[in-house]
Amino acid sequence: MGKKSAVRVKQIQKAQPSGGGPMMDMMGGMQNMPAVVMPPPNPNLMHRFGVSETETDFSSYSTLWPTFLDSTKTIKRGRKISTLDSPGEDITIQDIHQACVALRLPHVIEPFKKYPRDPDSHWYNMGRAKVNYEGKFATRIEMFRGVAAEIENLNDRTVRLEERKEKQELDAAEIAKASAPPAAASTRKTTGNSKKKGKKKK
């Protein structure tokens, strides 16, 4: 009989991609992407309402900041009308804009201006209006009061404040629930038979 020849079977494994697969390659590409830097808001941005595009001099217009009408601000902070004339708290530049539209007052909105005397306007409540009240009000204080009265009747503002109040109540309830101590376990011992055993009658 002839000599059996041994045949070796060589296993060939598929080479894996060096990057760990398509997903890893994609992640690596994302890491090499340049960081996206958002440009700062333009403080000179201006929106005109009832004002000609050719008009550039607004020195005769009266400046109106939300702080001027806010009942929670002090006079030192910048409030210009009494708390009785104020529509309340959380006055926004959008409220002022809607009130000016309702009163048909020509105005411009500068949404990124910051009132120097009120730090709140530096962060979350920016913006000011320049209002032409000629022919509508005798003085700027009367115009402030007129705008404040109109703000008090704005439906959008009413809805916004109601939603904020509901959210605050829900948040307060969640905090109270989380901070409440756990219910104390009852320490009273119970027995299997609580009836008193008396003497048996003969």
Side-chain angles (χ1 to χ4, degrees), residues 75-113:
I75 293 177
K76 184 178 180 180
R77 183 68 65 87
R79 178 168 50 81
K80 299 296 184 182
I81 60 176
S82 72
T83 54
L84 296 177
D85 294 327
S86 170
E89 60 180 339
D90 193 26
I91 311 297
T92 67
I93 193 63
Q94 180 66 17
D95 294 337
I96 291 175
H97 161 63
Q98 291 183 353
C100 287
V101 169
L103 294 170
R104 298 185 178 182
L105 295 172
H107 63 287
V108 295
I109 297 295
E110 298 171 296
F112 297 116
K113 290 293 185 180

Side-chain angles (χ1 to χ4, degrees), residues 163-181:
E163 289 177 348
R164 189 185 70 170
K165 182 179 179 181
E166 290 177 1
K167 185 179 183 304
Q168 289 175 341
E169 290 174 351
L170 289 174
D171 291 344
E174 289 294 330
I175 293 173
K177 183 179 179 181
S179 59

